[in-house]
Amino acid sequence: MVLSLVVVGFVMQELPNSPTKIEVYALHKSFGLTLLALTVLRLLWRLFAGTPAPVPGTPRWQQAAAQASHGALYVILLAMPLSGWLYNSASGFPLKWFGLFSLPKLSGYDADVKAFALGMHEWLFIALAVVVSVHAAAALKHHYFDRDATLVRMLPGLPPPAGRERND
Ligand code: HEM
């Protein structure tokens, strides 16, 4: 869903002005708000159910780095839709979730807040791309170089790394 939002977020701006463009913007916003709700649910579940223990033998600095990148991912997944919502509010547009119900405005019309929120939406995308890339590179390093169970735990169903039994 995040990947689709990113692709649609860029493509929709290039569409010629038309009812379809308005429709695509509305879908981007509704799916973005859905992602916000899912992120909150996931964080609540994490609080309730806890997180898996680190793979045995993981150095402490790597545990700290993993925790920091998970924290950054959650902050971005909350801040990205909130900045979009703020941008929409400060632009003076109404906001409906899939046309079903209206959401409150986070701000009145305000050109400065609008510019700030749009800047945040763009910078958060860059931060997301960096954190996701580092996160994925680290998982691949664990799988192909360290040959431990890190990636297998992230992608259940993936066969264990060559030359290693499952270790989770
Ligand atoms: C995690 C959820 C979201 C992701 C990953 C995401 C991603 C993006 C990306 C990559 C862009 C294009 C780059 C940019 O101009 O910033 C964009 C544009 C945009 N997004 Fe989002 N978005 C999300 C949620 C939302 C929400 C909830 C809203 C509004 C309620 C929203 C409103 C917009 C608008 C209005 C634009 C176009 C800005 C313009 O026309 O210049 N987005 N989004």
Side-chain angles (χ1 to χ4, degrees):
M1 198 190 264
V2 172
L3 192 60
S4 314
L5 281 162
V6 166
V7 173
V8 172
F10 282 111
V11 170
M12 68 187 188
Q13 298 181 50
E14 306 305 323
L15 294 173
N17 285 339
S18 65
T20 306
K21 182 171 186 165
I22 296 171
E23 190 81 356
V24 175
Y25 265 72
L27 282 174
H28 176 84
K29 295 172 193 179
S30 294
F31 277 107
L33 292 168
T34 308
L35 200 129
L36 175 62
L38 289 174
T39 304
V40 171
L41 282 178
R42 184 176 168 118
L43 276 169
L44 290 174
W45 176 253
R46 193 183 150 105
L47 275 178
F48 170 75
T51 52
V55 170
T58 307
R60 286 193 76 98
W61 72 267
Q62 282 187 18
Q63 292 181 31
Q67 268 187 344
S69 69
H70 297 156
L73 281 171
Y74 283 119
V75 168
I76 295 169
L77 288 181
L78 291 172
M80 188 98 203
L82 284 173
S83 62
W85 187 351
L86 183 62
Y87 174 63
N88 195 77
S89 308
S91 306
F93 293 129
L95 185 58
K96 274 193 160 181
W97 188 75
F98 293 107
L100 293 175
F101 58 86
S102 298
L103 282 112
K105 283 194 190 308
L106 299 181
S107 133
Y109 176 82
D110 187 316
D112 290 339
V113 175
K114 185 179 158 186
F116 166 77
L118 182 60
M120 287 300 291
H121 211 58
E122 286 164 358
W123 278 105
L124 284 163
F125 159 69
I126 294 169
L128 180 67
V130 170
V131 179
V132 167
S133 305
V134 172
H135 189 62
L140 292 173
K141 179 218 172 247
H142 276 281
H143 195 71
Y144 291 108
F145 290 93
D146 305 339
R147 298 186 188 282
D148 65 25
T150 305
L151 187 62
V152 178
R153 289 181 7 163
M154 293 163 80
L155 295 174
L158 192 76
R164 188 86 181 223
E165 292 301 309
R166 266 190 84 118
N167 180 22
D168 55 349

